[in-house]
């Protein structure tokens, strides 16, 4: 585990190159970031390009470091091609959910690979839900599925309260993309890990119920 597969290297390299360009070229950064007004006016490519831009080195490092730890799990199950598919579907799912929830906020903007990375993380958790994970400053192992559910519940709270300068909506959308695509690639999980599939779906169902009830505005 934790090998630097060629697909992982390619994704990290693309993020680094585009982000470095954005750090040094404000026009480039503004032209390709996620922006509701610009996307609605026709610049749909921003829904993908924004996923390779980052605010600063720390933002870039955290996203790539997180992906590094979970990418190998997904690649070991599905191979490089499907890993890339999950990555991009998660990225788009994050952008689409952000567009849906912020469609009436023309000045809303965001950047970062967090949606795509969260999709890879959620895919890995669905594939190996009983793996133990450690969080910074918490010296006890946490089952992967507990972390996954807790993270999405926190994202719902963040979306509702507009907590911090964080794209909670894109994170959640990415997780939905990773979850759905993993089940598409391995539908047998519905029979072999039914309980985990249901448990990991609970926050997703809760989000759309709350949205339908108007509780996230």
């Amino acid at each position: 585990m934790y090998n630097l597969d060629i697909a992982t290297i390619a994704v990290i390299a693309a993020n680094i190159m585009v982000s470095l360009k954005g750090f040094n070229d404000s026009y480039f950064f503004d032209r390709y970031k996620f922006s509701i007004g610009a996307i609605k006016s026709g610049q749909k490519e921003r829904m993908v390009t924004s996923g390779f831009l980052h605010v600063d080195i720390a933002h870039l490092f955290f996203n790539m470091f997180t992906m590094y730890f979970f990418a190998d799990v997904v690649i070991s199950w599905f191979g490089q091609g499907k890993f890339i598919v999950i990555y991009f579907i998660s990225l788009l799912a994050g952008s689409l959910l952000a567009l849906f929830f912020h469609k009436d906020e023309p000045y809303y903007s965001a950047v970062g690979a967090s949606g795509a990375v969260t999709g890879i993380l959620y895919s890995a958790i669905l594939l190996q839900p009983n793996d133990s994970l450690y969080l910074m400053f918490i010296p006890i192992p946490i089952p992967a599925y507990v972390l996954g559910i807790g993270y999405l519940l926190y994202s719902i709270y963040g979306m509702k309260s507009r907590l911090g300068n964080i794209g909670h909506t894109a994170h959640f959308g990415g997780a939905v993309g990773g979850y759905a695509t993993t089940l598409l690639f391995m539908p047998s999980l519905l029979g072999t890990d039914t309980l985990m599939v249901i448990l990991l779906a609970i926050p997703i169902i809760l989000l759309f119920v709350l949205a339908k009830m108007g509780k996230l505005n």
Side-chain angles (χ1 to χ4, degrees):
M1 192 173 291
Y2 311 143
N3 296 319
L4 268 178
D5 188 276
I6 187 64
T8 308
I9 294 172
V11 169
I12 291 176
N15 274 276
I16 290 173
M17 288 189 292
V18 175
S19 292
L20 289 177
K21 174 67 174 173
F23 295 159
N24 297 301
D25 186 338
S26 59
Y27 174 80
F28 179 86
F29 184 90
D30 290 336
R31 172 59 184 84
Y32 292 107
K33 69 181 181 181
F34 183 94
S35 171
I36 293 292
I39 290 170
K40 291 179 73 173
S41 70
Q43 295 177 0
K44 301 294 191 296
E45 71 278 2
R46 289 173 180 260
M47 297 180 70
V48 175
T49 57
S50 60
F52 291 89
L53 288 167
H54 290 81
V55 173
D56 52 33
I57 290 291
H59 185 206
L60 173 63
F61 174 79
F62 181 77
N63 274 335
M64 295 303 98
F65 186 71
T66 302
M67 191 189 68
Y68 162 73
F69 274 104
F70 293 97
D72 193 54
V73 173
V74 178
I75 292 171
S76 68
W77 281 80
F78 291 136
Q80 298 176 31
K82 288 182 178 178
F83 161 77
I84 294 295
V85 171
I86 293 173
Y87 185 90
F88 275 97
I89 287 180
S90 298
L91 191 164
L92 283 171
S95 292
L96 285 168
L97 196 67
L99 182 63
F100 175 77
F101 275 98
H102 299 286
K103 60 182 178 295
D104 297 322
E105 303 170 44
Y107 297 107
Y108 178 88
S109 64
V111 294
S114 301
V117 172
T118 305
I120 295 298
L121 182 152
Y122 218 68
S123 175
I125 289 174
L126 184 57
L127 291 166
Q128 298 180 185
N130 293 310
D131 278 4
S132 293
L133 305 174
Y134 290 85
L135 294 179
M136 203 175 300
F137 308 121
I138 302 178
I140 57 174
I142 301 173
Y145 73 91
V146 173
L147 175 64
I149 294 169
Y151 183 78
L152 288 199
L153 291 176
Y154 169 75
S155 293
I156 292 175
Y157 172 73
M159 291 165 64
K160 182 174 175 57
S161 62
R162 301 297 179 98
L163 185 65
N165 189 27
I166 300 172
H168 296 285
T169 313
H171 294 186
F172 201 104
V176 174
Y179 175 87
T181 310
T182 300
L183 289 179
L184 179 66
F185 287 156
M186 189 169 287
S188 60
L189 289 170
L190 292 166
T192 59
D193 287 289
T194 307
L195 178 59
M196 287 302 170
V197 171
I198 293 172
L199 287 175
L200 290 168
I202 288 173
I204 297 171
I205 296 169
L206 177 62
L207 172 76
F208 289 104
V209 169
L210 291 174
K212 186 70 173 178
M213 296 172 63
K215 299 294 186 180
L216 293 177
N217 300 324

